[in-house]
Amino acid sequence: MDTNKRTGLLSIIAPAMNEEGNLPALVAAIAAALDPHKIPYELIIVDDGSSDRTWEVICEQAKRDARVRGLKLSRNFGKEGAMFAGLDNVRGECAVIIDADLQFPPETIAEMYAVWQTGVADIVEGKKRTRGKESLVYKLFTKAFYGMLKGMSGIDLNNASDFKLMDRKVLDTLAEMPERQTFFRGMSSWVGFTTEHVLFDVRERTEGKSKFSPKKLVKFAISSISAFTDAPMQLTTVFGFLSCFLAVALGIFTIFFPFARESVEILCAVLSVMVFFFGVVLIALGIIGYYLARIYGELKNRPRFIISNRTDDR
């Protein structure tokens, strides 16, 4: 017997918003995937402000299986808030995030746990071998987002996901990070620690549809980039130098180029350049304002989530 082999309770966190139809299948699939390997686990399902019977279904599942625990948030805090609510309430020696719609295969959790047990890694991350059925617009958007994030911050999240198993010391480190506006995928990569990867294929949703709309995706991308890099603010400096250079060039052109004072073409060109630079200034002010708004949000120090109910007494 390997005395250095890790053992301990595995905590599984499943954020859920309007997933009443998927939860019984989720509970059954996790039990079917982990029980044959005799992996001790708890399943924490976080109701992220659902408007259907999600919470009632969570309570029913918790009564049937003592390993199921439920947390109900006071309103919709978003997937990030739901994930951190679960992470802050885990009892295990390691924890993994899984989607309630079963697009992340529960069978892969057993493989992740086996890698964690060997002690070779503190984080076992699921990497997407295939991404399932995604629209062309969504694929192009995610490719552009990850490319921008890598170029600006150096963090490569291509084919990454929230589907990762983390050791207790990683969980404790995340808990010590004070920011209110979180980006779990980036934060869990930023902390470092030894990481191994497990490949998996994204499955089709068993029921319902994705909660991400194009508007939410754009908002999520902007928030994520601003959380891990100040490169957009540095772009304003670049535009400032470029503006100065072009202004000097235009001044020299105006002094030495012979043209009729009444030339309408030259006047239109100058006005176009002025309007362009006014636009650049407004964009720069918008970027700075967005960062100031994030600072303001952090200074308010409001909680990441509020738990209004739970199935246990803790």
Side-chain angles (χ1 to χ4, degrees):
M1 180 177 178
D2 185 359
T3 56
N4 294 322
K5 189 174 183 180
R6 286 170 169 167
T7 58
L9 181 69
L10 165 66
S11 297
I12 305 169
I13 302 159
M17 178 185 173
N18 297 335
E19 298 284 2
E20 60 174 332
N22 286 320
L23 295 182
L26 172 70
V27 174
I30 289 177
L34 301 186
D35 285 348
H37 300 279
K38 294 181 171 54
I39 298 175
Y41 73 90
E42 64 172 356
L43 172 59
I44 304 174
I45 307 176
V46 184
D47 180 5
D48 185 24
S50 299
S51 58
D52 61 0
R53 293 188 65 256
T54 293
W55 178 245
E56 287 78 4
V57 174
I58 293 174
C59 292
E60 292 169 2
Q61 295 299 318
K63 289 179 180 178
R64 293 173 183 168
D65 190 337
R67 296 174 296 186
V68 177
R69 299 168 56 202
L71 301 175
K72 180 178 176 62
L73 303 188
S74 61
R75 64 170 177 82
N76 177 248
F77 283 86
K79 186 179 180 182
E80 292 289 316
M83 286 191 294
F84 275 93
L87 289 171
D88 283 0
N89 285 271
V90 297
R91 297 170 176 167
E93 293 301 313
C94 59
V96 64
I97 306 285
I98 189 171
D99 284 354
D101 56 16
L102 287 173
Q103 286 192 293
F104 296 163
E107 297 82 7
T108 307
I109 298 177
E111 186 177 352
M112 291 176 167
Y113 188 82
V115 174
W116 171 78
Q117 280 189 302
T118 64
V120 299
D122 298 312
I123 299 176
V124 185
E125 181 177 357
K127 282 275 190 179
K128 297 176 182 177
R129 182 188 292 112
T130 59
R131 303 184 64 92
K133 291 184 179 180
E134 294 177 345
S135 66
L136 179 61
V137 174
Y138 185 85
K139 289 180 179 179
L140 292 175
F141 178 87
T142 54
K143 188 175 182 64
F145 164 57
Y146 289 138
M148 290 176 61
L149 186 63
K150 182 179 179 181
M152 293 180 178
S153 68
I155 298 176
D156 185 6
L157 297 181
N158 190 39
N159 290 325
S161 68
D162 298 323
F163 190 31
K164 59 181 66 179
L165 184 147
M166 297 158 289
D167 184 72
R168 167 54 68 178
K169 60 185 175 183
V170 180
L171 301 176
D172 292 340
T173 301
L174 289 174
E176 292 172 358
M177 298 175 73
E179 56 257 50
R180 306 291 95 189
Q181 301 167 85
T182 57
F183 176 34
F184 170 76
R185 202 172 301 179
M187 291 170 68
S188 56
S189 296
W190 180 88
V191 295
F193 293 102
T194 308
T195 303
E196 291 289 331
H197 296 97
V198 172
L199 297 178
F200 72 96
D201 299 308
V202 177
R203 294 178 175 175
E204 294 300 308
R205 290 178 60 91
T206 55
E207 188 173 314
K209 60 181 181 179
S210 173
K211 307 301 185 296
F212 273 109
S213 63
K215 181 179 178 180
K216 286 184 178 180
L217 287 172
V218 171
K219 185 177 179 181
F220 175 73
I222 294 174
S223 176
S224 303
I225 290 174
S226 62
F228 274 85
T229 176
D230 60 357
M233 293 187 71
Q234 304 306 321
L235 286 176
T236 62
T237 304
V238 174
F239 280 128
F241 280 112
L242 179 63
S243 300
C244 292
F245 172 77
L246 291 179
V248 171
L250 181 61
I252 295 174
F253 174 79
T254 304
I255 293 172
F256 293 101
F257 184 78
F259 59 87
R261 294 292 178 185
E262 67 274 14
S263 175
V264 177
E265 292 82 1
I266 296 297
L267 178 61
C268 290
V270 172
L271 289 176
S272 298
V273 172
M274 290 178 63
V275 171
F276 171 77
F277 286 122
F278 275 127
V280 170
V281 170
L282 291 175
I283 292 173
L285 289 175
I287 293 173
I288 295 171
Y290 183 79
Y291 275 90
L292 288 175
R294 289 187 64 89
I295 295 171
Y296 174 64
E298 291 292 333
L299 289 176
K300 287 188 290 187
N301 200 31
R302 291 177 180 172
R304 296 169 176 170
F305 54 85
I306 300 173
I307 298 175
S308 62
N309 204 350
R310 59 201 313 152
T311 59
D312 53 24
D313 297 328
R314 179 183 168 186

